[in-house]
Amino acid sequence: MHRRIIAPGALAASLLLAIPASAADYEPGAPGIGDPYYPAYGNGGYDVSHYDLRLKYQPETDKLEGTATLLATTTQDLSRFNLDFLLDVSEVRVNGAKASFKTSGEHELEVTPKTPLPKGTPVTVVVRYSGVPSSKSAYGFTSWHRTPDGGVGANEPEAAWWWFPSNDHPLDKATYDVSVAVPDGSQAVSNGTLQSTSSRAGWTRYNWRSNKPQATYLATLAVGKFDITTGKSESGIPIVNAYSKDLGDNYGAARASIERTGEVADWLTEYFGPYPFNALGGYVPNTAETGYALETQTRPFYSPRQFANGTNVSVVVHELAHQWYGNLVSVAGWKDIWVNEGFARYAQWLWSEHEGEGTAQELADYVYASVAADDPFWKVRPGDPGPENQFHLAVYDRGALALQALRNEIGDEDFFAILKGWPKEHAHGNATVGDFVKYAERISDRPLAALFDTWLYQPSKPSAPAAREASIAPLAGKTPVQPKSWKKIAATNGVHDHEHAHENGNGNGNEHEHEHEKGHEDGH
């Protein structure tokens, strides 16, 4: 028998650890996670590791009923905490005991557990709820899309509030089980892999699983009547695509584009490294009122309007590039949006090169030369654009231009090593623009702060000498010929006018838009 001898100091310390904090030491979790762009988004005091959503949805009435089980850990001594949510709640339980709750602000559900929660405690939160998502709005907009045959939750930077309670910020990623019962004849599409389906008494239940961390805005739900195709990419990733049966004239172009998902994902692995998830696909519901696409994890959402002018593989490239840049590595704060959008746009430039429709260099030269110095485009700083310009065309096009400037500065070998190494460096985590700059400096062994300042942070068009130094538009006074792919790439921009209309890119350059409190349509 071995006896452990405890020194008096260690004994005192261990006794202290056993004494719970007094009630006065417990404080409410913050109503926001601390993002300056969206101060009320996300919540403080806890971290979610898993969402289990058991739902029932009636397409005819848009009624959603659900029980959400959240597995979380407290990050402070917590007297109460918030969830981001809009539907009507009937009961909340915390670790099995009924908790009191009330709503506050535009989209907050305040939960007070029966007993306070010490820091580092595993917590199970069960929320029972119901409601009609399309009847709910916050800040003057809705992120729930009603369709003729059902409904869809898909938007950025927020979509979760309309269908499940959450800690709605990319800093708190989690795994998901989404189980949805719908009337026979309808289907429910979500992220990840379809684990099983079962039918009973006129209802069919679809059970989806996302087994890798996923940001809340990347979780999606679509219910409708779909034609579903399944297959595998050449690399063996299972693919599920879904097309609304009432897409009309856009049906053929949508399918001709999205059925190339496996091919495009395999091609992207050459640049970004192995595909990071165990499922692939895309879906096109009949959301007539929206024009955007969104990189919902493993299964992007595409508006039918993306295919109104024919096939659009470029938008598929963009959304699949986000599976690495945005989904595998997520923004630490919404100001870091360039590490999503600049890279997804640059992937479209690489695809243009692959298709023989214009090189990345030609596209960069064209962007630089064709936008006048006094255009508001150059006032937007992709490295920190501000919430009102978070999805401005400049974040995409000027953002991709910055990458071409980097490529020319450090050479292809280091540039492509960075493109592939960055997702691996921060896999399943979060990162900032500053983190990327430091990483690029480390890999290239060069100081790059001045280059990034010129191309990402100055609210003005980089000067001709700066452009020459970065080998952009070297022929002064000559506008380069518009690359063949330009109109296809511009077609993935926003579909309505904004204060800035880029040549041949009617609209604000956003894949994503909604009416925000700003009084005009911002996009995502």
Side-chain angles (χ1 to χ4, degrees), residues 125-335:
V125 182
V126 177
V127 182
R128 293 183 185 276
Y129 58 93
S130 64
V132 176
S134 59
S135 71
K136 303 292 185 182
S137 69
Y139 308 101
F141 68 87
T142 178
S143 289
W144 183 262
H145 312 291
R146 192 81 166 95
T147 60
D149 55 4
V152 178
N155 209 344
E156 181 186 11
E158 67 295 283
W161 317 340
W162 283 264
W163 65 286
F164 69 97
S166 69
N167 190 16
D168 191 26
H169 191 276
L171 277 175
D172 194 357
K173 295 160 87 164
T175 53
Y176 284 74
D177 280 313
V178 178
S179 174
V180 192
V182 295
D184 290 348
S186 292
Q187 295 112 321
V189 175
S190 190
N191 314 79
T193 55
L194 184 62
Q195 301 291 105
S196 63
T197 59
S198 58
S199 292
R200 184 170 167 269
W203 291 79
T204 302
R205 183 167 285 283
Y206 293 81
N207 299 298
W208 294 90
R209 170 166 289 175
S210 298
N211 70 341
K212 293 283 191 289
Q214 176 173 284
T216 40
Y217 81 96
L218 297 171
T220 191
L221 171 65
V223 175
K225 294 185 176 177
F226 296 106
D227 287 330
I228 291 179
T229 66
T230 60
K232 278 191 176 174
S233 70
E234 197 174 343
S235 58
I237 309 291
I239 302 170
V240 177
N241 296 324
Y243 308 92
S244 179
K245 289 178 184 286
D246 57 358
L247 293 179
D249 291 347
N250 297 333
Y251 185 94
R255 263 186 90 150
S257 307
I258 294 165
E259 289 301 307
R260 295 183 70 182
T261 288
E263 172 199 347
V264 169
D266 284 342
W267 173 78
L268 283 166
T269 63
E270 297 169 28
Y271 294 99
F272 297 159
Y275 180 71
F277 306 113
N278 66 351
L280 263 170
Y283 74 93
V284 192
N286 189 9
T287 49
E289 80 289 357
T290 61
Y292 60 83
L294 179 66
E295 61 271 19
T296 39
Q297 195 156 306
T298 71
R299 190 152 294 107
F301 159 86
Y302 299 95
S303 155
R305 229 188 289 177
Q306 287 289 335
F307 309 101
N309 295 320
T311 52
N312 187 351
V313 180
S314 191
V315 74
V316 176
V317 171
H318 186 107
E319 302 311 333
L320 291 178
H322 275 311
Q323 303 307 310
W324 287 264
Y325 282 85
N327 298 11
L328 177 60
V329 185
S330 300
V331 295
W334 283 111
K335 76 181 178 65

Side-chain angles (χ1 to χ4, degrees), residues 422-440:
W422 170 257
K424 189 176 177 184
E425 177 93 350
H426 294 281
H428 304 299
N430 303 75
T432 66
V433 175
D435 293 331
F436 182 84
V437 174
K438 285 182 199 146
Y439 181 75

Side-chain angles (χ1 to χ4, degrees), residues 388-425:
E388 69 287 351
N389 287 319
Q390 190 185 342
F391 301 100
H392 191 282
L393 181 60
V395 176
Y396 296 68
D397 280 355
R398 188 179 173 184
L401 188 54
L403 287 171
Q404 187 62 32
L406 172 66
R407 180 179 175 180
N408 293 342
E409 174 81 13
I410 66 176
D412 277 10
E413 188 177 341
D414 282 347
F415 178 75
F416 287 112
I418 287 165
L419 275 196
K420 195 171 273 192
W422 170 257
K424 189 176 177 184
E425 177 93 350

